[in-house]
Amino acid sequence: MPKKEIKKKTVKNRLDKLWGLLVHKKERCEVCGKSDGLNAHHIIGRRRLSTRWDLRNSCLLCAKHHLFGNESAHQNAIWFDEWLENNRPEDREYLKEKSREASKPYSVKELLEIEEKLKELNT
């Protein structure tokens, strides 16, 4: 019986779940320390595949600091950038460099390699 071909979308969905699980291991909002209503946030948006599953491109935030209010990553990009500069300067610089690189589509093989690396971090 021939081996069933794995679809990119299937692997991307698995990667998204795995990335979220790893981000949630931080257990508290990185801004205020709250431990409930937490969201895994992509610092550089999910559309950029070169950083989509990069854990340095993640931040665990409570709903207030993720989506709502003046001090939230989605409502106030300047505030969030300043927060990153003050609290995670190495990651901010790393992501600035990554954002300058061209983003390319991944093959299924490359996606599976990313999945294996994330699985190793999840053990």
Side-chain angles (χ1 to χ4, degrees):
M1 184 177 247
K3 193 173 182 181
K4 188 176 178 182
E5 186 176 318
I6 300 173
K7 295 183 179 180
K8 273 188 184 184
K9 185 173 182 172
T10 301
V11 182
K12 285 180 180 181
N13 288 340
R14 289 194 320 233
L15 280 167
D16 287 340
K17 280 186 177 181
L18 189 51
W19 180 88
L21 285 170
L22 288 165
V23 175
H24 275 85
K25 284 188 171 192
K26 296 175 185 176
E27 297 182 346
R28 296 197 170 277
C29 175
E30 293 182 53
V31 175
C32 69
K34 191 175 176 182
S35 62
D36 60 325
L38 301 174
N39 299 277
H41 173 69
H42 287 87
I43 298 166
I44 297 174
R46 294 170 31 112
R47 288 184 184 174
R48 179 173 282 277
L49 293 182
S50 62
T51 54
R52 183 170 177 168
W53 304 290
D54 188 329
L55 291 173
R56 292 182 79 176
N57 185 39
S58 70
C59 195
L60 189 62
L61 301 171
C62 66
K64 175 186 172 187
H65 290 114
H66 186 219
L67 296 167
F68 307 111
N70 195 42
E71 291 183 344
S72 71
H74 282 280
Q75 298 299 321
N76 191 337
I78 292 172
W79 168 83
F80 188 65
D81 184 59
E82 288 174 355
W83 182 87
L84 278 173
E85 186 173 22
N86 291 326
N87 295 277
R88 292 178 44 193
E90 297 87 8
D91 289 337
R92 182 180 177 271
E93 286 306 309
Y94 166 81
L95 291 169
K96 272 176 62 176
E97 290 302 314
K98 291 294 279 184
S99 72
R100 292 183 182 110
E101 296 173 8
S103 192
K104 66 173 185 72
Y106 287 112
S107 67
V108 171
K109 181 183 178 196
E110 289 170 315
L111 291 171
L112 291 169
E113 289 170 0
I114 294 168
E115 184 178 33
E116 283 307 309
K117 288 177 185 173
L118 289 181
K119 281 181 178 178
E120 286 174 15
L121 295 172
N122 196 35
T123 55

